[in-house]
Amino acid sequence: MKNCEYQQIDPQALPTPTPTPPPPHHHHHHHHHHGHDGDKREEPNRLRRKWEVFPGKNRFFCGGRIIVARQSGVLPLTLGLILVTSVLFFIFDCPFLVKHLTSCIPVIGGVLFIFVVITLLQTSFTDPGILPRATPDEAADIEKQIENTGSTSYRPPPRTKEVLINQQVVKLKYCFTCKMFRPPRTSHCSLCDNCVERFDHHCPWVGNCVGKRNYRFFYTFIVSLSFLTAFIFGCVTTHLALRAQGGKGLVFALQESPGRYPSLSNLVICFFSVWSILGLSGFHTYLVASNLTTNEDIKGSWSGKSGAECATNPYSHRNIFINCCSVLCGPMPPSLIDRRGFLPVDEYAQTSGTDIELPTLAAKSEINVCTQGTKGLLESATRSPLLSTPCPQGKPQSAHTCPDNSPTVNSDPSPELSTSCGARHTARSLSDTSPPRHTKTRSKKSKRAALHIPNPAFDDPASPTSPDAGPSTKGSGQKGATSASMH
Amino acid sequence: MAETHSLQDLQQPAVFSKVFIQRDYGSGTICRFQTKFPSDLESRLDKQQFEETIQTLNNLYAEAEKLGGKSYLEGCLACLTAYTVFLCMETHYEKVLKKIARYIKDQNEKVYAPRGLLLTDPIERGLRVVEITIFEDRNIGSGR
């Protein structure tokens, strides 16, 4: 902290997020500063990074560089399937085809395979566009604004705000977990417990949400995967056909070929994958061309079904080429959650003693596990007395394709509290109480099918209990939507 | 209640309140902030200064998110390399963010700090708000 002039405030002397100056003086409401050195006893050299106190249900690896959702879903299965199929292809079909056709085949296959794996890992490990939760000051400010403009009745005012975007009225909803009005096209994923910008869907195959930042990876992944599966399918078919030609028919060819079981299983897997993946790619190509998200398409936000007047998509550039370019080739937005940043040392991460009496903040019983962040408790108690359990009628508003998890909503402390209390532990205990839809059973598969928003236009033969296996028209997407949102 | 460290006090003045400038979604999801002058700042800052700051910030963000030939080229190149270039290269957006950080620091030093205000870089608030912290003005002694 450099010395500065009498009047001037040195902006560098204050780390930005703190509302109280580092050596807190007693003109504020802190009473227990016994042992300011007590704060220092906790590893003065080791600063904590922000990912360690991230309030959402995510897991971090490599020091915060890699982010995945809490449930990795079926990502290992996806990777395994791709690996197994490709390896079988290389071992059993390539030698024959190289001999009889051309040696480009393994090269093309190899390139596609590498492309697929890289884009898959990028989709899974990239921050999809998570919005950090509002700081307590922001939340208090918003609450004040809501109160000021709210109705005079004793019932709490509806927490929506209307904005005019390109002459189209768009409703912004208030997110109770993140304590802010969601920007347009942002949705709260209850599986990850985060608001995600330009939320598309939560993909269990990939084990992550698909949002603004990783949509291009996801799209490249499914397109290259459809090429890969089509390629393998074609090669295996050619392989078997060539063998059948040379010999006495297909059955004999199958009997004599050394890799008949692998080739056949490859064929079967690829046959089913090709249709579903091709279908998904086609669906997403349509979405990209019209600058829609899966979320909006399922809910029919812009197709005029929900609104009285004809609603058009206000985000579309009205030109397919420009839409595609802006979604896929636009500038890459930065990650807003700053995983590897350091927590300010003087902040609520410090312990100031062992046991501090907790003020009576309503419904915050989970915080008794930790002693950190009591300064934050007092700060927020004085600054935002309105931080209490949200009213129940707010919940349906935040339920989208993923139903809002009520334990998550009710017990969310302010970010500072949850951060310094090790929210991942509290969140983990909360997720145990959530409905058992995350267990790896058949029911999960049906949920997975519903969550993955199976393309309305194509059958998904891989999900036997898919709720909207039905007519392959666009209309069935709406049925799928209602059934999905009922889960 | 040691209040003898007056120099420290002045270096770390008390926060009086915070003003949040929200996002303006009138033109879609691009990053723009509202230019409406908040009433809390009336006594501390001129309207023009404020509007100029916000307008410059808006222009910088627009430049970061601009869809043009250069960004398309960057995007196509990235796609061809399976987006691995993002691991090595700094994207255009990140470069502009650095420019914005420099601009905010500059504004703080020149305009806001002398008036007892502090501008927080919106990126630290998830690009949701521009946070302006108002400090108590000890010297004038008005503890409003």
Side-chain angles (χ1 to χ4, degrees), chain A residues 194-213:
Chain A
N194 290 317
C195 271
V196 177
E197 286 195 292
R198 203 184 183 278
F199 180 74
D200 199 81
H201 64 283
H202 181 100
C203 184
W205 292 100
V206 155
N208 201 0
C209 289
V210 176
K212 181 160 88 166
R213 294 187 76 240

Side-chain angles (χ1 to χ4, degrees), chain A residues 159-476:
Chain A
R159 303 242 181 157
T160 55
K161 199 159 76 163
E162 292 201 347
V163 204
L164 202 64
I165 300 181
N166 289 338
Q167 283 88 44
Q168 176 74 43
V169 174
V170 175
K171 266 204 165 100
L172 301 185
K173 298 198 178 128
Y174 181 77
C175 182
F176 286 96
T177 315
C178 305
K179 306 242 184 323
M180 59 178 178
F181 279 100
R182 284 190 207 117
R185 307 191 104 173
T186 303
S187 189
H188 190 95
C189 175
S190 58
L191 288 175
C192 306
D193 201 25
N194 290 317
C195 271
V196 177
E197 286 195 292
R198 203 184 183 278
F199 180 74
D200 199 81
H201 64 283
H202 181 100
C203 184
W205 292 100
V206 155
N208 201 0
C209 289
V210 176
K212 181 160 88 166
R213 294 187 76 240
N214 63 354
Y215 187 69
R216 64 191 75 192
F217 305 147
F218 177 73
Y219 184 74
T220 316
F221 165 61
I222 55 176
V223 166
S224 50
L225 185 63
S226 43
F227 280 133
L228 179 69
T229 47
F231 181 72
I232 293 183
F233 183 69
C235 287
V236 172
T237 314
T238 315
H239 176 200
L240 292 175
L242 284 177
R243 274 195 193 271
Q245 259 180 2
K248 294 125 186 138
L250 190 60
V251 177
F252 186 74
L254 284 175
Q255 275 176 349
E256 78 163 21
S257 89
R260 60 180 183 273
Y261 291 124
S263 291
L264 270 182
S265 62
N266 244 4
L267 201 67
V268 167
I269 294 178
C270 285
F271 180 73
F272 287 118
S273 310
V274 160
W275 298 120
S276 52
I277 302 287
L278 262 181
L280 195 61
S281 304
F283 174 60
H284 276 280
T285 309
Y286 158 72
L287 288 183
V288 163
S290 42
N291 204 336
L292 280 174
T293 64
T294 308
N295 207 14
E296 288 166 353
D297 187 68
I298 293 282
K299 292 200 291 190
S301 318
W302 314 122
S303 59
K305 287 197 168 74
S306 40
E309 71 276 11
C310 182
T312 55
N313 184 5
Y315 314 108
S316 166
H317 301 268
R318 311 264 178 263
N319 179 332
I320 289 185
F321 184 65
I322 298 185
N323 277 341
C324 292
C325 285
S326 75
V327 174
L328 300 174
C329 304
M332 182 70 178
S335 173
L336 297 174
I337 54 179
D338 189 23
R339 306 182 288 282
R340 288 183 53 79
F342 288 105
L343 279 177
V345 179
D346 54 72
E347 259 262 309
Y348 313 122
Q350 283 178 338
T351 54
S352 54
T354 50
D355 239 85
I356 316 292
E357 65 283 343
L358 299 176
T360 52
L361 277 179
K364 303 283 191 290
S365 49
E366 321 80 13
I367 314 177
N368 54 6
V369 296
C370 87
T371 57
Q372 297 173 344
T374 30
K375 265 195 273 181
L377 260 176
L378 294 172
E379 269 313 299
S380 49
T382 51
R383 281 187 187 279
S384 47
L386 305 163
L387 270 178
S388 51
T389 54
C391 47
Q393 58 242 49
K395 282 204 204 101
Q397 290 177 357
S398 41
H400 291 281
T401 50
C402 319
D404 206 339
N405 212 355
S406 43
T408 320
V409 173
N410 270 333
S411 51
D412 180 60
S414 67
E416 257 70 2
L417 296 174
S418 56
T419 58
S420 38
C421 294
R424 288 188 286 141
H425 301 295
T426 51
R428 201 176 287 138
S429 61
L430 288 174
S431 64
D432 292 342
T433 63
S434 66
R437 60 196 172 137
H438 302 304
T439 56
K440 297 187 180 13
T441 57
R442 294 266 299 177
S443 65
K444 184 200 175 194
K445 282 208 174 182
S446 68
K447 297 283 183 184
R448 182 253 307 155
L451 286 170
H452 188 56
I453 322 294
N455 1 332
F458 299 89
D459 274 336
D460 190 1
S463 67
T465 53
S466 167
D468 63 336
S472 56
T473 61
K474 217 67 180 59
S476 75

Side-chain angles (χ1 to χ4, degrees), chain B:
Chain B
M1 299 279 181
E3 275 163 0
T4 54
H5 310 286
S6 49
L7 188 61
Q8 225 168 7
D9 268 348
L10 286 167
Q11 279 186 351
Q12 327 286 343
V15 173
F16 174 64
S17 77
K18 290 191 184 186
V19 178
F20 296 98
I21 316 293
Q22 300 285 341
R23 282 269 293 268
D24 171 18
Y25 295 117
S27 9
T29 49
I30 61 169
C31 186
R32 262 184 76 85
F33 292 99
Q34 293 176 354
T35 48
K36 188 168 92 71
F37 188 58
S39 52
D40 292 342
L41 290 178
E42 258 163 26
S43 55
R44 303 272 194 136
L45 193 61
D46 323 314
K47 196 162 174 224
Q48 280 97 307
Q49 272 293 354
F50 172 80
E51 277 179 6
E52 189 195 312
T53 310
I54 301 289
Q55 203 55 45
T56 315
L57 281 179
N58 285 342
N59 291 340
L60 284 170
Y61 281 116
E63 182 196 326
E65 298 182 1
K66 192 165 74 101
L67 299 170
K70 189 163 178 282
S71 74
Y72 289 158
L73 209 58
E74 198 184 38
C76 287
L77 172 72
C79 180
L80 287 176
T81 63
Y83 303 109
T84 46
V85 288
F86 288 145
L87 301 169
C88 345
M89 236 175 52
E90 197 187 30
T91 66
H92 174 64
Y93 208 117
E94 284 168 355
K95 292 195 186 109
V96 179
L97 283 180
K98 289 207 173 129
K99 211 156 72 160
I100 291 176
R102 281 198 301 270
Y103 173 74
I104 288 188
K105 183 161 170 283
D106 184 61
Q107 284 282 293
N108 268 333
E109 281 169 7
K110 295 210 185 102
V111 177
Y112 289 85
R115 293 176 168 76
L117 300 170
L118 179 70
L119 211 56
T120 305
D121 197 336
I123 193 75
E124 295 180 24
R125 296 287 177 266
L127 289 183
R128 286 187 309 261
V129 286
V130 176
E131 182 180 306
I132 303 183
T133 317
I134 306 179
F135 292 102
E136 268 179 26
D137 217 350
R138 274 165 220 280
N139 306 305
I140 302 188
S142 62
R144 246 176 293 122

